Amino acid sequence: MCNLYTERKSAAEVAAHFGVDPPMQAFNTAEDVYPGYSGMVVREAEGRRILQSMTWGFPRHSKNKKTGLPNKPGYTNNARDDMLWIIWKQWYTDPAQRCLIPFTAFAEAVGEKGSMTKTWISVADQPLAAWAGLWRPTVEWGDAYTGVMVDATDELLDIHDRMPVILHPEEHEIWLRAPAEEAIKLVRKYPGDRLVADHTNDPWSNRGKPSAPPPAPEMPSLL
């Protein structure tokens, strides 16, 4: 599960990288994005790409076991690959509801419970990469998005057993436009020898306080 990633790029830089017209208004997004925070999303509408700020996480509803009353909605910020044709079918099979989630690194919690630290994972051959995502309008907090996850590559297993679906640049248009049967071919592990892990001493519980992302690597290196 991915519960934290960083953009570390301005809206103008993201727009230029993904071939989007710069937004008319500045985005109010955090550099470190947690579930429930606003993040930048690239999607298509009327044949052109749009850069938009959305809430990370589809609404998840539950009831209080004692009172039976509704709890405050939670955030479903990850979508399992094996559930794309089941839970997520409504949005996955509609190309218009797929999106790109720009990121420079994602983080996982490592260590013993109570003293976990952040390990940042970046993509050596893509300083600014795209995570395959889904989006939809919500009553609760407007447009929202979630990221598709797969089993982790072997090099990441000592950190976590799941990882985001990281797209190659030539796959962006396929994810945004192709039929579901073709897009599913992109739902796979990213080559482990192109990922770089930076193990930090920054507490995982240090939510909301930006931490330094890993430096951009000069060449691909093994985790």
Side-chain angles (χ1 to χ4, degrees):
M1 179 178 290
C2 180
N3 288 321
L4 169 63
Y5 71 92
T6 184
E7 295 168 338
R8 303 285 172 173
K9 298 288 183 180
S10 68
E13 290 174 307
V14 172
H17 183 81
F18 288 97
V20 183
D21 291 334
M24 297 297 293
Q25 296 180 339
F27 282 169
N28 182 23
T29 60
E31 290 184 345
D32 289 352
V33 184
Y34 291 86
Y37 281 34
S38 294
M40 288 186 272
V41 169
V42 176
R43 66 181 181 90
E44 280 212 348
E46 299 180 352
R48 66 186 185 91
R49 292 184 181 181
I50 295 174
L51 180 63
Q52 184 177 345
S53 175
M54 297 186 188
T55 299
W56 187 22
F58 282 15
R60 181 178 66 253
H61 296 278
S62 62
K63 290 185 178 180
N64 187 291
K65 294 182 179 179
K66 292 183 178 180
T67 66
L69 297 175
N71 292 319
K72 184 179 179 180
Y75 301 93
T76 302
N77 50 293
N78 292 167
R80 289 181 61 97
D81 60 321
D82 55 352
M83 293 287 111
L84 287 177
W85 298 99
I86 304 173
I87 297 175
W88 306 100
K89 183 177 180 179
Q90 176 182 351
W91 303 286
Y92 168 66
T93 56
D94 182 358
Q97 301 305 134
R98 294 190 218 126
C99 63
L100 307 177
I101 306 170
F103 76 98
T104 52
F106 65 94
E108 295 291 357
V110 175
E112 298 296 326
K113 187 175 181 179
S115 59
M116 289 183 168
T117 56
K118 296 173 184 174
T119 289
W120 289 98
I121 302 160
S122 56
V123 186
D125 57 337
Q126 293 194 70
L128 177 58
W131 177 7
L134 309 172
W135 78 277
R136 72 175 179 89
T138 74
V139 174
E140 293 79 0
W141 43 70
D143 293 344
Y145 66 99
T146 188
V148 182
M149 302 289 287
V150 290
D151 289 337
T153 186
D154 290 346
E155 292 86 347
L156 282 181
L157 289 177
D158 63 331
I159 298 173
H160 203 281
D161 61 356
R162 304 285 289 173
M163 67 179 291
V165 173
I166 303 169
L167 300 172
H168 297 273
E170 64 272 16
E171 297 171 342
H172 295 173
E173 187 167 351
I174 298 174
W175 182 253
L176 293 176
R177 293 188 172 188
E181 293 77 10
E182 183 177 351
I184 199 66
K185 299 175 184 177
L186 308 183
V187 181
R188 60 186 187 277
K189 306 172 185 180
Y190 200 78
D193 61 353
R194 302 184 193 180
L195 301 175
V196 178
D198 180 52
H199 302 276
T200 76
N201 293 319
D202 191 22
W204 180 258
S205 60
N206 200 17
R207 176 168 176 151
K209 297 180 180 179
S211 53
E218 296 181 359
M219 59 180 293
S221 59
L222 292 174
L223 291 166

